[in-house]
């Protein structure tokens, strides 16, 4: 087994809006993925704005609310725009509504900018959006390698399809400083995927 590579320390929540965002995302089952995206963001760019930090820590939050776009893992193209775009825009919408409900606190941040960054989190873009995308990718590899393993183990997708998702998370990165930690995490994450035979045996056992 490959040992887990170095990952950055957690970054303290130093604004009111970030403390409130952490509370808001707490019930989400992938909360750790969101919080680690923020830690990776600050590692990659210590000057990251509060808008960038809030975007990182809420970028997937639409999944906490039922009714979002669905993905078929077995056959998905991991860059499928008909999944990624509704997913990103729905998260941006949810965060816009939540910020709007905060009253005066929301006046301390650029709500439009947070929505823009979230809407671009899967594909990257200008003025910090590439940093968010890289941080999301790194956090995916760190916190959701186990979930990808579960997809294969439970037969939601093949090992090759799971591996493709992990490789895509690295290949899409556009920030040079993120490449090396991503490649190290990729090796570790790929190592955790069961073979198709192991997955079939595990499914047989649970039958
Ligand atoms: Fe996402
Ligand atoms: Fe994400």
């Amino acid at each position: 087994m490959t040992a887990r590579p170095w990952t950055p320390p957690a970054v303290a929540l130093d604004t009111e809006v970030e403390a409130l965002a952490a509370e808001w995302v707490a019930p989400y089952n992938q909360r750790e993925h969101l919080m680690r995206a923020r830690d990776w963001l600050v590692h990659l760019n210590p000057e990251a704005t509060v808008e960038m930090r809030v975007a990182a820590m809420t970028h997937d939050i639409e999944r906490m609310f039922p009714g979002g776009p669905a993905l078929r893992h077995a056959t998905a193209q991991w860059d499928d725009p008909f999944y990624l775009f509704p997913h990103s825009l729905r998260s941006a919408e949810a965060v816009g509504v939540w910020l709007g409900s905060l009253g005066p606190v929301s006046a301390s941040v650029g709500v439009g900018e947070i929505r823009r960054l979230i809407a671009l989190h899967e594909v990257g873009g200008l003025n910090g959006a590439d940093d968010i995308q890289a941080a999301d990718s790194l956090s995916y590899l760190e916190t959701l390698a186990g979930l990808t393993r579960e997809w294969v183990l439970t037969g939601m997708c093949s090992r090759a399809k799971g591996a493709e998702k992990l490789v895509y998370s690295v290949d899409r990165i556009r920030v040079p400083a993120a490449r090396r930690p991503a490649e190290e995490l990729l090796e570790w994450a790929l190592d955790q995927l069961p073979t198709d035979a192991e997955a079939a045996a595990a499914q047989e056992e649970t039958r």
Side-chain angles (χ1 to χ4, degrees):
M1 256 308 166
T2 315
R4 198 182 77 171
W6 177 90
T7 59
V11 176
L13 297 163
D14 50 19
T15 61
E16 189 180 2
V17 68
E18 287 168 279
L20 289 168
E23 260 174 49
W24 183 49
V25 305
Y28 174 46
N29 63 4
Q30 291 177 9
R31 170 195 177 275
E32 194 200 352
H33 166 61
L34 296 180
M35 298 308 288
R36 291 301 284 156
R38 177 176 169 280
D39 296 334
W40 277 106
L41 169 72
V42 174
H43 169 70
L44 294 173
N45 179 0
E47 307 297 312
T49 61
V50 66
E51 284 80 10
M52 289 165 70
R53 297 193 309 258
V54 171
M57 65 197 288
T58 57
H59 70 269
D60 283 332
I61 202 61
E62 65 95 2
R63 294 188 185 133
M64 186 164 73
F65 307 104
L71 191 62
R72 283 207 186 118
H73 297 71
T75 54
Q77 301 242 43
W78 297 115
D79 65 350
D80 181 1
F82 295 98
Y83 175 76
L84 293 185
F85 294 176
H87 158 63
S88 303
L89 292 170
R90 192 168 183 261
S91 288
E93 182 64 25
V95 174
V97 170
W98 170 73
L99 284 166
S101 75
L102 296 182
V105 179
S106 64
S108 67
V109 290
V111 176
E113 178 61 2
I114 293 171
R115 294 177 76 242
R116 181 190 75 89
L117 290 165
I118 295 171
L120 288 170
H121 82 263
E122 298 281 354
V123 291
L126 301 175
N127 296 318
D130 276 350
D131 291 348
I132 307 279
Q133 187 233 33
D136 175 29
S137 299
L138 286 160
S139 175
Y140 184 89
L141 292 161
E142 182 190 351
T143 66
L144 297 176
L147 177 70
T148 315
R149 176 187 159 77
E150 283 301 305
W151 294 345
V152 179
L153 215 47
T154 58
M156 281 173 72
C157 70
S158 65
R159 185 190 193 281
K161 203 73 197 168
E164 211 179 77
K165 165 71 182 175
L166 296 169
V167 170
Y168 170 64
S169 301
V170 177
D171 283 353
R172 67 178 203 169
I173 292 176
R174 296 152 81 168
V175 176
R179 292 226 55 108
R180 182 137 181 221
E183 276 158 19
E184 289 171 0
L185 281 165
L186 174 64
E187 196 188 330
W188 169 77
L190 283 172
D191 206 31
Q192 293 177 56
L193 293 183
T195 63
D196 288 322
E198 284 166 349
Q203 289 157 45
E204 193 58 44
E205 258 176 45
T206 56
R207 223 167 261 157

